[in-house]
Amino acid sequence: MTSIFTGHDQGVRPHGTPSSGMPTPGGATAVLDRHLRFTGWSREAEELFGLASEEVLGRSADAVLADTETGAGISSAAGDGGTAWSLGPRPVRRGDGRPVPVSLSLTPLALGVGATGWLLVAVDSELAHWEALGRAMLDGLDRESPVQLVIYDTDARVRWVNAAIEKQFGISLKEVAGRFLKDILPQGEVLEEADRPVISVEEIVQRVARTGSPVVDVRYRSATFLAPHHERVWSCSYFRLQDEEGRPIGVCEAGLDITDRYVARQRLALLSRASGSIGRTLDIRHTAGELAELVVPEFAEAVIVDIFEPVLGGEEPQHFGTHPTLCRVAHRTDHTAAKDTAYDELDTVSLRCLAENAPATDAATHVLALPLKARGTTLGVAAFARPQHADPFEHEEIQLAEELVSRTAVCLDNARRYTREHATALMLQRDLLPRALPEQPGVEVAHRYLPAAGHAGVGGDWYDVIPLSGARVGLVVGDVAGHGMGAAATMGRVRTTVAALAALDLAPDELLARLDDLVARTGIPTSGAAEAEAEAETEDQALGVTCLYAIYDPVSRHCVMARAGHLPPVLVTPDGHTELVDLPAGPPLGLGGLPFECADIELQEGAMLALYTDGLVENRQTDIDAGIRSLCTALSGPGNGQLDRICDRVITRLLPQAPEDDAALLLLRVHALAESLVATWDMACDAAEVARARSLALDQLAAWGVDEAASFVVELVVSELVTNAIRYGNAPVCLRLIQERGLIVEVSDGGHTSPHLRRAAMEDEGGRGLFLVAQLTQRWGTRYTSTGKTIWTEVPLSPAKLPGTFPGERFEL
C-alpha cells in the first residue's frame, strides 16, 4: 500500500486533498485504513510516540497503540466504521520504551472512491490536563481573581484589564482601552518604589518594557470612581511581556489592595516617630507644636492644643484653681481644612471634652477631642478634625490618638515640672548672686551673668566683690559643675564660705586651701547602704568647683591672686594691650592635699582685669583657646570706655546667641589711692612713742579737715593700738592712716599673737582698751602678713555719741 501521507506534514490530510480543505485537529494525528493499519503518520505523532513514519506505516494500530498494562489493542473498541469513538487515557509504549499516557479518538474518514478509514487523534493526557488548568487559570485571572491585572503596551497605554479592575475601580475595558493611567485616574500618585524615586506609573511601565527588569511592590494611592472621596492604596508589581522571538510587546501590572495594611503600618510609623519627635525640648509650647506638626496632614487635617494657663507657669496641679484659663499653645491646619466646617467645631468639642474630662467625638463634623492627662491631672485638651468628605475617626484611630495625646501629656508635664524648677532655680540664684556690688575705693566694677539656654538653665557660676580692711577689695569668680537647683544651691554654699573666709583677711592661696579642705570633707561619701544610695542619687556638685580669688590694694596698686582650676584672668593695660595673667593653675576644689600658689602683680593706673567662667569662651563650635583669643580681642583697644559698654560688647561678640552653658563676666578697672590720703609712720619700740603717735595722727587729721569728734576717737584708738603693739608686739611697729569715706587706722608689728576680748573685773586697772576700740569704731580686726600682723579699725567721720558708761568687760592681748 502506498502511503498517502508524508511523515513530516504539519497536519494529516487525505492524498490529493488541499491542505486548506480541512483544519488540523489538536494533538498528534494519523490515518488508518478500514483494517486499522496506519496509512498516514504526522510529525506530531512522531514526537508524541517517538516513532518515525517508516516504522509505523502499514502496521496494525493494535500493535503500535497497545495498552502496556493490559496488552489490549484498539480494535476491540472500534465501531462499524461509521461512528466516531474515543478511548480513555491508556499507557502506550514509545519507541524509546517509555510509556506515555494518551487519550485516543477516531473519526470515520473517506479515503477515496469506495474507500473508508479512520482519522486518529492522540493527545498526551497529562499535557491536556495542564492545558485545561492553564485555560481555567487564565479564565480565573480574568473573571474571578481579586488581584487586579492590567496589560499595557510598550508606550504605557492600557490595553486590557481584568474583572477585578472593573469591580474595584468602577470602570470597564471599553472606557480605558488605549488611554494612559494619568488620564483615567488624574489624582493618583506613586508613594514609593523600592527606595527609588519615580515620577509616574507610565515611567515605570516604559522602563520595564525597555529593560526587562521587573519592578515589585510599588505603592500607588488613588481614589476610585466608586468612592471618589476615599483614597485606597495598592501594592503593584510590573513585568515585561514578549513574543516568541523575545521582543517586548507589553507590560503586565498585578495590583493588590493593601489599604488596611498600609494604614496600620502608617499608624505604627506615626507612633514610632512620636517617640522621637515629641518632647525633644522641655518647652511647653514647643512640645505642643511637635504634636500638631506630627499629625497634620497624615492623621488629621487640623489640630489645636489648649493648655491651662497655670501649666505654662509651672504651677502644681492643686494650684490650678476651680476655673483656670485656657491658652492656645499650638494649632495647625492643612491648606484644605481651613475652609472646612469641621474646623469650626474644634472649640465646641474641646470644651465638651474638658467638661466631661473624657474623649469627645462628633461624627457629623469629624472632630475628635481628648484630654491631656498626666499623672492623674488634666493639663489641657487636644482636638483633631477631618474634612466633611473624609472618613470619621474609627475605633483604632481613636486609640492611636489617645496614645499620641498620652505621650504628649507626659512630655508636657515634664516641661511643666522643669519650668517650675527652672523658675525656682532662677529665683534662688538671683537671691544668691549679689544684686548690686558694693562701691569700693580704687576700683570700678561691671558684671554680667547669662543662664544657659534650653533645659540646662541655671548653673553654678558666680562672682563677688568683697570689701576688705585697709581699703582693699576681694574679687571672686567661680563655677560649680552642673545645672539646676543642685548647682545653684552648691554655688550659694561655696560663695558664702568664700565670703566668710575672706572676712578673716586670708591670703588668696590660704583661702583656697581652707576652701579646698572644706569641700573635700563635705564631698566624702558616707558609709552605710542607705547613705551610699543617697550619695549615688545626689552627687555632691561641690566636687566640681573651680574658683579664682584676688585681692587688690589701691594703696600699693598690687593685686595678689590664686586660682583653683579656674581660667586665668585677662589683663588689659591702659593703652589697650591684652594678655593672660601668668597665674599657676592649681587643682579644682575638693581634691585635697595639693598646694595653691599666689601671683603678685603691680597694676598700672587705669588697668583693667577681666574675670570670667568657661561658659563665656567655650562651646561646641569653639574651643577654649579660640574663645579666650576672642575675649582678648573684644577687650583690646585704647580708650575702652565705660565698663558696662565693654561688658555688652564682649557678650555680643562672644555670645550672639543664648549660651550652651551659663556664663559670668566680672570687669574691674583699678585706680590708685592718692598719696595725700595715706599717711604712714614707723614707731620705735618705746613707750614714749605713744605720745608722738597721737600727735602725728592729730596733725594729719587737722590737715585733712577732720572734725574734733572723729579726731578724739582716732586719738584714743591710736593711743591704745600703739601702746599694745609696743608693749606686747615685736618690732617693727608702724602706724598708718587712710582717708577713704571714713578713717582707717592701722597699727602693724612683728608679732603673730592676735588680741582678743575678755571680761575685766571691777577692781582691774587695765584690760578695757580694745573694748573702747570696739565701741568707738565701726569695725575692727586683725590680718596677718609675712612679717607679722596688722590691727585695723574703721572710724566713721561722724561717729555716734560716746557712751556714758561701759560694762565691766576686760580686754587683753
Side-chain angles (χ1 to χ4, degrees):
M1 180 181 294
T2 304
S3 172
I4 60 174
F5 287 93
T6 62
H8 299 287
D9 283 347
Q10 293 296 323
V12 179
R13 59 185 183 275
H15 179 69
T17 305
S19 61
S20 59
M22 179 169 140
T24 303
T29 57
V31 177
L32 303 174
D33 61 13
R34 61 188 181 89
H35 299 293
L36 299 181
R37 292 191 296 264
F38 287 104
T39 60
W41 190 253
S42 70
R43 184 176 66 182
E44 289 79 8
E46 291 182 357
E47 294 175 353
L48 177 62
F49 293 103
L51 296 171
S53 59
E54 55 267 20
E55 296 179 86
V56 296
L57 293 178
R59 294 179 60 188
S60 170
D62 285 340
V64 176
L65 301 178
D67 189 322
T68 59
E69 294 180 355
T70 63
I74 67 170
S75 58
S76 59
D80 58 3
T83 304
W85 56 275
S86 62
L87 193 61
R90 63 163 47 191
V92 175
R93 193 173 307 280
R94 285 172 43 86
D96 56 8
R98 246 180 344 103
V100 55
V102 295
S103 296
L104 304 176
S105 63
L106 283 87
T107 303
L109 182 68
L111 298 179
V113 178
T116 61
W118 303 92
L119 175 64
L120 173 70
V121 179
V123 178
D124 187 326
S125 299
E126 290 185 358
L127 179 61
H129 173 71
W130 287 112
E131 286 179 351
L133 286 179
R135 288 191 297 272
M137 179 192 68
L138 292 176
D139 186 66
L141 289 175
D142 181 19
R143 300 175 182 275
E144 306 296 337
S145 173
V147 177
Q148 302 157 351
L149 297 175
V150 182
I151 293 180
Y152 302 88
D153 62 20
T154 54
D155 293 330
R157 295 179 184 272
V158 176
R159 292 303 178 186
W160 176 84
V161 296
N162 68 347
I165 290 285
E166 297 179 350
K167 293 176 182 177
Q168 296 184 29
F169 282 84
I171 53 178
S172 65
L173 176 61
K174 182 178 180 181
E175 294 174 298
V176 300
R179 300 173 64 187
F180 291 108
L181 182 63
K182 62 183 180 181
D183 299 325
I184 302 170
L185 301 172
Q187 301 301 320
E189 61 173 334
V190 174
L191 299 178
E192 54 184 286
E193 183 231 334
D195 298 328
R196 291 185 57 186
V198 295
I199 299 175
S200 63
V201 169
E202 285 77 11
E203 183 191 62
I204 300 175
V205 171
Q206 292 169 0
R207 189 174 73 221
V208 171
R210 183 177 65 253
T211 65
S213 299
V215 175
V216 179
D217 195 23
V218 176
R219 305 298 170 87
Y220 184 78
R221 179 170 62 193
S222 173
T224 66
F225 291 101
L226 297 177
H229 298 301
H230 303 280
E231 292 186 330
R232 308 292 294 177
V233 178
W234 292 270
S235 172
C236 302
S237 298
Y238 301 82
F239 58 94
R240 187 169 72 178
L241 304 175
Q242 51 194 32
D243 61 15
E244 294 178 354
E245 304 298 328
R247 292 172 298 196
I249 58 175
V251 172
C252 181
E253 173 193 86
L256 187 64
D257 190 331
I258 60 167
T259 304
D260 294 340
R261 186 175 66 189
Y262 180 81
V263 171
R265 194 185 75 168
Q266 291 300 100
R267 292 170 182 169
L268 291 176
L270 195 64
L271 285 176
S272 177
R273 292 202 306 274
S275 62
S277 61
I278 298 179
R280 291 176 294 181
T281 68
L282 290 173
D283 181 89
I284 294 176
R285 295 181 182 274
H286 196 276
T287 299
E290 289 170 338
L291 171 65
E293 185 177 355
L294 177 69
V295 300
V296 175
E298 188 171 347
F299 179 76
E301 279 67 32
V303 62
I304 60 171
V305 181
D306 294 339
I307 301 294
F308 290 126
E309 187 176 22
V311 175
L312 299 177
E315 292 187 22
E316 291 288 352
Q318 60 266 28
H319 299 155
F320 286 1
T322 55
H323 300 289
T325 304
L326 277 173
C327 295
R328 181 147 300 168
V329 293
H331 68 278
R332 189 178 179 89
T333 61
D334 192 31
H335 66 281
T336 58
K339 301 178 181 179
D340 198 278
T341 56
Y343 186 68
D344 299 332
E345 299 299 321
L346 281 169
D347 289 331
T348 302
V349 181
S350 295
L351 292 176
R352 178 157 55 89
C353 169
L354 288 176
E356 299 172 357
N357 198 25
T361 59
D362 190 333
T365 57
H366 298 72
V367 174
L368 168 66
L370 299 169
L372 288 160
K373 290 184 178 181
R375 301 176 178 94
T377 301
T378 300
L379 307 177
V381 61
F384 311 88
R386 287 177 175 173
Q388 293 283 1
H389 59 75
D391 292 328
F393 293 99
E394 299 176 349
H395 177 69
E396 293 80 5
E397 293 176 312
I398 294 176
Q399 289 182 323
L400 172 63
E402 288 175 340
E403 177 67 22
L404 294 175
V405 169
S406 176
R407 295 188 183 191
T408 304
V410 171
C411 294
L412 288 172
D413 193 54
N414 290 337
R416 178 193 64 80
R417 290 168 175 247
Y418 165 75
T419 300
R420 183 193 63 215
E421 179 179 344
H422 187 262
T424 304
L426 277 176
M427 180 178 64
L428 174 62
Q429 188 167 55
R430 280 195 299 266
D431 291 342
L432 294 175
L433 285 175
R435 299 190 179 184
L437 297 178
E439 294 184 6
Q440 286 296 110
V443 294
E444 301 175 52
V445 178
H447 53 92
R448 294 290 185 274
Y449 171 78
L450 279 78
H455 64 85
V458 175
D461 290 9
W462 91 94
Y463 51 84
D464 214 343
V465 175
I466 304 172
L468 300 177
S469 63
R472 298 171 309 137
V473 59
L475 308 166
V476 190
V477 65
D479 186 358
V480 175
H483 299 87
M485 291 284 289
T490 300
M491 177 271 287
R493 183 180 64 181
V494 177
R495 175 176 177 257
T496 302
T497 304
V498 170
L501 293 175
L504 299 177
D505 266 322
L506 300 177
D509 56 343
E510 185 178 356
L511 182 144
L512 291 180
R514 295 197 184 187
L515 186 63
D516 175 66
D517 181 62
L518 176 66
V519 169
R521 283 189 287 111
T522 58
I524 296 175
T526 56
S527 60
E531 291 82 355
E533 183 178 355
E535 176 66 23
E537 293 178 357
T538 57
E539 182 181 355
D540 192 341
Q541 290 178 295
L543 294 177
V545 175
T546 65
C547 183
L548 185 149
Y549 181 60
I551 298 176
Y552 173 66
D553 187 347
V555 177
S556 65
R557 289 188 292 105
H558 276 251
C559 185
V560 182
M561 60 185 72
R563 62 185 176 123
H566 203 81
L567 297 173
V570 176
L571 172 63
V572 186
T573 60
D575 61 0
H577 173 72
T578 59
E579 62 181 36
L580 288 178
V581 177
D582 186 11
L583 179 61
L589 298 175
L591 298 183
L594 298 176
F596 299 94
E597 298 182 48
C598 280
D600 189 339
I601 60 174
E602 183 176 354
L603 300 178
Q604 304 176 48
E605 170 67 26
M608 187 168 63
L609 278 175
L611 283 63
Y612 53 94
T613 58
D614 57 0
L616 182 68
V617 294
E618 184 181 28
N619 55 52
R620 295 178 184 175
Q621 291 76 35
T622 306
D623 61 48
I624 196 165
D625 292 332
I628 292 176
R629 288 194 297 270
S630 298
L631 173 61
C632 292
T633 301
L635 292 170
S636 64
N640 281 320
Q642 296 180 355
L643 291 185
D644 279 326
R645 292 183 179 179
I646 298 175
C647 278
D648 293 338
R649 184 175 70 207
V650 169
I651 296 300
T652 300
R653 293 187 182 181
L654 271 67
L655 300 175
Q657 298 177 348
E660 300 171 0
D661 189 11
D662 52 331
L665 173 65
L666 178 64
L667 289 184
L668 62 145
R669 182 176 288 132
V670 300
H671 302 286
L673 203 61
E675 294 181 2
S676 60
L677 300 179
V678 181
T680 306
W681 303 278
D682 293 329
M683 300 283 111
C685 288
D686 187 346
E689 286 288 275
V690 177
R692 175 173 170 263
R694 288 197 300 265
S695 177
L696 291 171
L698 290 174
D699 291 343
Q700 184 62 57
L701 293 178
W704 284 341
V706 177
D707 58 43
E708 290 186 7
S711 297
F712 173 73
V713 173
V714 172
E715 183 181 10
L716 289 176
V717 171
V718 169
S719 178
E720 177 63 29
L721 295 184
V722 173
T723 298
N724 287 343
I726 293 174
R727 180 178 299 175
Y728 303 108
N730 299 321
V733 177
C734 178
L735 170 63
R736 184 168 75 166
L737 299 181
I738 303 173
Q739 183 185 13
E740 181 271 310
R741 286 180 291 200
L743 294 172
I744 298 174
V745 180
E746 296 182 343
V747 176
S748 304
D749 65 71
H752 290 84
T753 302
S754 176
H756 60 279
L757 296 172
R758 59 172 296 182
R759 181 173 299 275
M762 294 297 293
E763 65 274 9
D764 291 341
E765 296 181 359
R768 297 178 177 86
L770 282 183
F771 177 76
L772 290 173
V773 171
Q775 294 296 314
L776 296 176
T777 60
Q778 190 172 24
R779 292 196 307 159
W780 76 280
T782 305
R783 69 173 181 268
Y784 294 90
T785 65
S786 59
T787 58
K789 69 176 180 298
T790 298
I791 309 298
W792 56 269
T793 66
E794 294 180 1
V795 179
L797 289 177
S798 298
K801 184 178 179 180
L802 294 178
T805 59
F806 304 100
E809 279 122 352
R810 182 178 180 180
F811 307 93
E812 293 181 351
L813 290 176

